[in-house]
Amino acid sequence: MSKKPKISVIIPVFNQEKYLSRCLRSLIDQTLEKKDYEIIVVNDGSTDRTRFVAEMFKDEIKIINNKKNKGLPFSINEGILSARGRYIVRVDSDDYVNTEFLNIPYNFLSANPEMDAVSCDYYVVDDKEIILKRENSSKKPVGCGIMFRVEQLLDLGLYDNTFLMHEDKDLRIRFLKKYKIHRISLPLYRYRKHEKNITNNKIEMRKHFRKLAKKHKF
């Protein structure tokens, strides 16, 4: 039986055939030893060639295929519940990462057992991967690029499946009531801005923000 990996990378994906390969290549090309991490792709009922792209990497990743679209938080939870690593980090399928993306946060957490989670800074890039700006992950947090201890996510009950948007904000609010997220001041994550970003749907974003405000009373 193979030794358990230290880290599980969760990649939820829906209709991202254009970007998934870039994302996976960046995660396979890590300085951390291959045996120390696993990559779990949760294909959430994609109707394009996403499944075909994922299958190209089948020898290096684990693939979960949902027969129908169940939503982003459901897919993330599905990945977490199938994970074998002690540490969990989410990467969106249209983004990509630096070669030290797993190594540095892992060493930080393993050397500081009293600390909870760590986030890294990130570059915002365009569709051609040109850097637009650098962001501080504490001042402008995103849902990805945060390495958690799996037992703390389980303690919180994972992501709320009812938040099809702002699921990361809901988790962060709940997480910070009990734990802390420490910042690593290194831009190890690449957040891609493009016309099909889910955050471009302003109507749905506002709808779920109102729901978030109601749940957390702000």
Side-chain angles (χ1 to χ4, degrees):
M1 186 175 180
S2 61
K3 187 178 178 182
K4 281 189 175 183
K6 296 178 174 71
I7 303 165
S8 296
V9 183
I10 312 298
I11 307 174
V13 55
F14 176 70
N15 288 355
Q16 291 288 2
E17 62 174 316
K18 180 178 179 181
Y19 303 112
L20 181 58
S21 176
R22 177 70 173 99
C23 175
L24 291 175
R25 284 186 283 111
S26 73
L27 284 162
I28 290 168
D29 187 29
Q30 290 291 297
T31 57
L32 195 69
E33 289 190 59
K34 292 283 193 297
K35 65 181 178 60
D36 289 333
Y37 68 100
E38 64 177 350
I39 301 169
I40 303 173
V41 172
V42 184
N43 174 25
D44 192 22
S46 295
T47 56
D48 63 356
R49 288 163 55 88
T50 289
R51 182 168 180 169
F52 171 78
V53 174
E55 291 289 343
M56 292 171 62
F57 297 86
K58 64 182 180 181
D59 293 336
E60 297 180 273
I61 66 175
K62 176 181 178 180
I63 305 171
I64 299 173
N65 288 302
N66 294 338
K67 291 183 179 179
K68 61 180 181 179
N69 184 262
K70 297 182 178 180
L72 179 58
F74 181 95
S75 295
I76 302 170
N77 288 342
E78 196 172 18
I80 294 171
L81 291 172
S82 71
R84 296 186 299 139
R86 184 184 177 190
Y87 303 101
I88 301 288
V89 61
R90 168 187 161 190
V91 175
D92 276 352
S93 57
D94 50 353
D95 298 334
Y96 60 103
V97 298
N98 181 275
T99 55
E100 293 284 351
F101 173 69
L102 296 178
N103 189 42
I104 292 175
Y106 165 71
N107 281 300
F108 188 94
L109 281 181
S110 60
N112 297 282
E114 77 284 1
M115 293 184 177
D116 303 316
V118 291
S119 66
C120 63
D121 286 355
Y122 59 97
Y123 284 129
V124 178
V125 302
D126 66 13
D127 216 12
K128 296 181 180 179
E129 301 185 5
I130 295 171
I131 295 173
L132 303 177
K133 56 184 174 179
R134 173 177 172 167
E135 295 289 10
N136 178 315
S137 63
S138 292
K139 293 180 179 178
K140 285 197 173 182
V142 289
C144 303
I146 307 171
M147 190 171 286
F148 295 98
R149 299 181 189 273
V150 68
E151 64 270 20
Q152 294 176 344
L153 291 178
L154 292 171
D155 177 50
L156 294 176
L158 304 181
Y159 286 81
D160 185 335
N161 286 338
T162 66
F163 280 92
L164 300 181
M165 294 182 179
H166 294 308
E167 78 297 328
D168 56 322
K169 291 184 177 66
D170 171 68
L171 180 76
R172 191 180 186 92
I173 290 169
R174 291 186 287 122
F175 190 89
L176 292 177
K177 287 179 180 178
K178 196 169 185 179
Y179 305 109
K180 290 184 178 179
I181 299 175
H182 302 269
R183 176 191 171 213
I184 296 176
S185 182
L186 289 170
L188 303 176
Y189 194 87
R190 307 290 186 264
Y191 179 86
R192 190 192 299 269
K193 295 286 286 183
H194 57 90
E195 62 181 15
K196 292 185 178 180
N197 282 125
I198 192 171
T199 52
N200 292 338
N201 189 335
K202 302 302 182 184
I203 294 175
E204 285 297 312
M205 288 289 285
R206 284 194 295 268
K207 173 185 171 183
H208 281 83
F209 188 81
R210 288 194 295 269
K211 182 177 179 180
L212 185 74
K214 183 177 180 181
K215 177 177 179 179
H216 296 287
K217 298 179 173 58
F218 63 84

